[in-house]
Amino acid sequence: MTSSPVGTAHDRDTAHDSATSHDRVQDRRELTAALVRALERRHEVLDAIVDAEDRATAISAIAQLLDTDDANAEAVLGLTFGRLTKDERRRTQAELDDLDASLEWTASERPASTGRTLRLRTFTEAGAAIYRRRCADQRADWEADRVDTERAAGLGRIDDESAAWFVAEDTTGGSAVGLVFGELSSGDGGSTDVDVAIWIDPAERKKGYGTAALKHARRELAREFPGTVLVVRAPA
C-alpha cells in the first residue's frame, strides 16, 4: 500500500483504487478528446493562436474554442506540426476510442466530473443546512442535538487548523451539492495524514460531482496542509 503527499495522483486507501484509476483514465480521456477536437478544428485553433497577444491569452482562447480547461488547452498549444498528419490524427482518434471503451462512463454522460462548474468554499456556520442533509442521509440515528454538537466540534477543529471542511457548490446555479471533510491524523511511520471523505447529496449523485470534488479537494488540501499525505476514506 503506497502513500504520497497531498496533491499527487496516488491515494493510500486501496478501497478507492478503482475510483482513482477511473479518474486518471477520465483525465486522460478529456485531454485526448481536446486534442482530437483541436486537430479537427486546426484552422480555427491556429487563428486563435495567431490572434492572441500572449501565451496566456492563447490558452484562454483555445480553452473557450474547444470547451476544455486551461491545462488541456496548454497541451493543445504545445502540439507540434507533426501531429497534423492524417496518420497521427488517426492515432489520436484511436486512443480516444480505446479510452472510451475502458470507461464505465465519460464526462459527456456526467458533465460535472470535469470540475469546471464546481467550486469548494470553506465550511462555516452558513453550512448548517447542508450538514443536516448529510446527517439525515448518513447519520440517521443522530438526534438534532448530536448533529449540532458534531457540527460545532468540526468548526472548532477548522479554527484550530486540524481540519478543513468545504461545501461543494455548483457554480452554474450556486447550489450546494455536497461536502468535503479533511481531518488531520497520525499515519504510519510517524507521518501526518489528511483523512478525506466526500459526501454528495443523493439528488445530485451520478452526475460527476464526487469526481470533481476530489480533484478540487487535492488542490485545496495541499494548500491547507502542505507536506501531508492524502488518505481517501469511505464516503462521509
Side-chain angles (χ1 to χ4, degrees):
M1 190 159 57
T2 62
S3 61
S4 56
V6 167
T8 62
H10 300 288
D11 303 310
R12 179 178 292 171
D13 195 332
T14 56
H16 286 262
D17 281 352
S18 61
T20 304
S21 176
H22 186 283
D23 291 347
R24 295 191 199 108
V25 177
Q26 181 67 56
D27 288 344
R28 179 64 190 175
R29 191 267 174 199
E30 290 308 299
L31 170 59
T32 306
L35 295 178
V36 168
R37 292 196 296 275
L39 294 172
E40 290 173 344
R41 305 179 65 180
R42 51 196 176 277
H43 300 295
E44 295 170 76
V45 170
L46 185 57
D47 285 343
I49 295 171
V50 170
D51 290 341
E53 289 291 335
D54 51 35
R55 182 180 181 85
T57 306
I59 291 172
S60 179
I62 293 169
Q64 184 174 6
L65 176 67
L66 301 178
D67 188 25
T68 191
D69 60 28
D70 285 352
N72 291 343
E74 188 167 9
V76 170
L77 185 60
L79 283 173
T80 63
F81 285 120
R83 297 292 297 274
L84 296 174
T85 66
K86 291 181 180 180
D87 182 58
E88 285 295 324
R89 299 204 306 269
R90 282 193 292 266
R91 287 176 186 270
T92 306
Q93 181 63 60
E95 181 182 357
L96 178 59
D97 293 342
D98 288 343
L99 289 167
D100 281 344
S102 69
L103 288 168
E104 295 179 11
W105 51 265
T106 65
S108 60
E109 296 167 317
R110 299 186 185 183
S113 65
T114 64
R116 294 198 293 274
T117 60
L118 187 103
R119 67 182 171 204
L120 299 184
R121 59 176 172 82
T122 301
F123 185 89
T124 64
E125 287 285 356
I130 190 168
Y131 187 79
R132 292 191 192 100
R133 275 157 47 199
R134 172 259 183 178
C135 291
D137 177 46
Q138 304 235 329
R139 300 289 187 271
D141 58 326
W142 286 6
E143 299 290 341
D145 288 348
R146 173 73 183 276
V147 171
D148 290 340
T149 298
E150 294 291 339
R151 179 172 56 82
L155 287 168
R157 293 194 298 277
I158 293 170
D159 286 342
D160 67 23
E161 299 182 347
S162 63
W165 292 8
F166 302 95
V167 176
E169 207 171 56
D170 187 315
T171 59
T172 59
S175 59
V177 298
L179 292 168
V180 175
F181 302 91
E183 300 273 352
L184 284 179
S185 66
S186 298
D188 299 335
S191 67
T192 301
D193 292 353
V194 181
D195 289 344
V196 182
I198 295 171
W199 173 81
I200 301 298
D201 191 304
E204 303 294 347
R205 290 172 188 169
K206 303 297 183 182
K207 298 179 181 179
Y209 287 120
T211 296
L214 181 56
K215 289 178 182 178
H216 285 283
R218 285 192 174 102
R219 290 193 293 269
E220 293 293 340
L221 293 170
R223 284 193 286 267
E224 293 283 344
F225 307 116
T228 56
V229 175
L230 174 66
V231 183
V232 181
R233 300 296 188 188

